Amino acid sequence: MTLVRLADVNVRIPIYDSHALRLVRLPAFGRAKVGTQAISHSGAVLIIHALNSLNMELHEGDRVCLIGHNGAGKTTLLRVLAGIYPASTGKVEVVGKVFALLGNSTMMNPAPPGYETIRLVVSLYHWPQSWMA
């Protein structure tokens, strides 16, 4: 059985301002907007609130499409599900295998459609074809 469950997940990404350590002040990040609605400023650290209070439950056979503008958090969500980014708060539960296909151009061939690309990755990692059912 495969299951993905997110309960009140928040992801905060700190961006450290290297200019704060210099003797001569240069223009810094300031109050930049990076597609997200909330950015905190704490001294020399900008904190991007990438995902806020996300709740989601997916079961085996579910299909999901992520749509959003640049900086909306689509890739951040996928990285949280794959275990690349930890959740700052909340609970992430993944039962089964999760594999992130996040644009690794050395492995991806842009010619075949997505389903064929997934078949290629499954065969490269010697996973059983029944995994794709």
Side-chain angles (χ1 to χ4, degrees):
M1 180 175 134
T2 305
L3 171 73
V4 173
R5 182 179 296 139
L6 281 74
D8 199 31
V9 170
N10 294 293
V11 175
R12 307 288 182 253
I13 302 172
I15 298 177
Y16 299 95
D17 186 5
S18 63
H19 300 295
L21 302 175
R22 295 182 181 184
L23 294 175
V24 177
R25 288 282 180 182
L26 298 172
F29 235 134
R31 293 272 182 202
K33 292 287 181 182
V34 191
T36 180
Q37 297 297 325
I39 293 182
S40 306
H41 196 345
S42 172
V45 180
L46 287 173
I47 300 175
I48 297 177
H49 303 262
L51 298 176
N52 293 312
S53 301
L54 183 62
N55 294 296
M56 179 174 76
E57 188 168 320
L58 301 172
H59 297 276
E60 192 168 334
D62 287 350
R63 305 292 190 258
V64 178
C65 177
L66 299 177
I67 300 173
H69 57 81
N70 291 343
K74 302 177 297 291
T75 302
T76 301
L77 172 60
L78 294 175
R79 288 179 177 169
V80 167
L81 294 177
I84 298 169
Y85 284 178
S88 302
T89 60
K91 183 179 177 186
V92 177
E93 180 184 355
V94 177
V95 177
K97 290 184 180 179
V98 174
F99 187 81
L101 299 174
L102 297 171
N104 186 351
S105 59
T106 60
M107 189 185 309
M108 296 296 155
N109 181 355
Y115 196 73
E116 291 178 26
T117 302
I118 293 170
R119 281 189 182 280
L120 172 67
V121 171
V122 167
S123 66
L124 285 173
Y125 285 89
H126 304 291
W127 291 333
Q129 291 293 323
S130 62
W131 181 79
M132 293 183 46

